[in-house]
């Protein structure tokens, strides 16, 4: 890949490389976002090989169905073999920040149900330490202000993503300047605040494999 590759080219390269992760007859979990959109478009060419998809958002469901890919309810499928999703940040030890697209809760549910979680991204998402990207937290509407105060006590600066309602009818707080050195501990602490549905730290259940599109080609980290 040339040094002039655009970020979109790098996302597409990672997404297309993830097609090789699919085995015949599988139900494929599908995440959300611009990188995953490339994956869904590539999956359309393989739809005869898979049984169906499980989706993490209304947007991905719509795109999958537009390609003629059947979308099943996770309550019907039980655990699935494979989940493919993007990230806002990823570390080499497979911890992620997700939720830039506000789909974090369903993404976390499908990731938990999957035996393998393959994360696809352009190389700019790889970081030494999580936290430069503001952490999305999905919050029950009546608890927005309470949760924001608790997040300040944890050292963060929450900002309400005004105008955004999640697929679950909730709100998003984006939290700046949290210390995510111990990502597992912070994930637990935030998820214990009453009114939090979940936060966008994926450390308890991180990725199993990162596929990164870079100017030098696709880099795989396992
Ligand atoms: C959506 C997500 C996305 O995976 C994340 O925001 C990355 O998106 P993109 O592929 O558009 O960069 O977590 O909630």
């Amino acid at each position: 890949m040339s040094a002039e590759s655009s970020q979109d080219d790098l996302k597409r390269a990672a997404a297309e490389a993830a097609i090789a992760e699919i085995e015949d007859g599988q139900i494929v979990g599908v995440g959300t976002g611009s990188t995953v959109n490339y994956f869904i478009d590539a999956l359309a060419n393989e739809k005869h090989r898979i049984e169906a998809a499980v989706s993490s958002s209304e947007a991905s469901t719509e795109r999958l169905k537009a390609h003629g890919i059947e979308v099943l309810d996770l309550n019907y499928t039980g655990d699935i073999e494979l989940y493919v999703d993007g990230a806002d940040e990823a570390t080499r030890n497979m911890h992620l920040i997700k939720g830039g697209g506000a789909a974090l809760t369903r993404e976390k549910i499908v990731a938990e149900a999957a035996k393998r979680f393959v994360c696809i991204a352009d190389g700019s998402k790889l970081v030494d330490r999580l936290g430069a990207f503001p952490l999305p937290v999905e919050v029950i509407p009546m608890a927005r202000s309470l949760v924001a105060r608790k997040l300040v006590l944890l050292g963060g600066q929450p900002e309400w993503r005004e105008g955004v309602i999640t697929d679950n009818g909730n709100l998003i707080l984006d939290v700046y300047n949290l210390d995510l050195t111990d990502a597992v501990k912070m994930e637990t602490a935030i998820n214990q605040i009453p009114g939090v549905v979940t936060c966008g730290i994926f450390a308890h259940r991180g990725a199993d494999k990162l596929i990164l599109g870079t100017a030098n080609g696709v880099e795989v980290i396992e």
Side-chain angles (χ1 to χ4, degrees):
M1 196 155 297
S2 81
E4 291 83 37
S5 306
S6 73
Q7 196 176 18
D8 280 347
D9 290 336
L10 303 180
K11 289 178 179 189
R12 188 187 294 109
E16 290 178 353
I19 291 294
E21 303 293 322
I22 301 169
E23 290 177 18
D24 289 358
Q26 282 183 335
I27 295 173
V28 180
V30 176
T32 300
S34 56
T35 315
V36 165
N37 282 344
Y38 288 121
F39 177 73
I40 295 172
D41 295 348
L43 190 61
N45 301 322
E46 310 289 323
K47 64 183 177 194
H48 57 280
R49 285 213 293 127
I50 63 169
E51 187 179 331
V54 167
S55 173
S56 65
S57 64
E58 300 299 329
S60 290
T61 297
E62 197 179 310
R63 198 174 186 100
L64 286 158
K65 286 185 173 171
H67 281 303
I69 299 170
E70 188 182 4
V71 178
L72 298 178
D73 187 317
L74 187 65
N75 289 308
Y76 167 80
T77 64
D79 285 353
I80 58 176
E81 292 297 326
L82 176 67
Y83 180 52
V84 178
D85 197 0
D88 300 299
E89 286 184 343
T91 62
R92 285 184 183 274
N93 65 349
M94 307 289 172
H95 291 168
L96 312 173
I97 286 184
K98 292 185 46 53
L104 61 160
T105 299
R106 294 190 190 185
E107 293 173 337
K108 200 173 269 194
I109 292 167
V110 184
E112 185 68 26
K115 292 190 187 134
R116 276 191 338 119
F117 175 6
V118 174
C119 180
I120 53 175
D122 69 85
S124 71
K125 305 289 183 69
L126 184 65
V127 295
D128 290 331
R129 196 171 130 174
L130 297 179
F133 190 91
L135 178 70
V137 180
E138 181 164 351
V139 178
I140 302 282
M142 72 164 286
R144 172 175 56 84
S145 170
L146 169 83
V147 171
R149 292 195 297 277
K150 300 286 185 191
L151 289 167
V152 169
L153 294 177
L154 289 174
Q157 285 147 355
E159 273 186 21
W160 177 19
R161 203 185 296 177
E162 284 195 66
V164 171
I165 306 286
T166 71
D167 286 348
N168 312 306
N170 297 315
L171 307 177
I172 297 288
L173 295 174
D174 291 306
V175 193
Y176 292 78
N177 299 322
L178 277 173
D179 180 355
L180 301 186
T181 310
D182 189 340
V184 171
K185 193 170 162 196
M186 188 59 88
E187 182 178 4
T188 302
I190 294 175
N191 286 348
Q192 281 175 348
I193 301 171
V196 167
V197 181
T198 199
C199 72
I201 302 172
F202 283 55
H204 282 284
R205 202 292 180 244
D208 298 304
K209 186 173 194 171
L210 301 180
I211 300 182
L212 303 171
T214 78
N216 300 320
V218 170
E219 183 185 351
V220 176
I221 301 172
E222 299 199 62

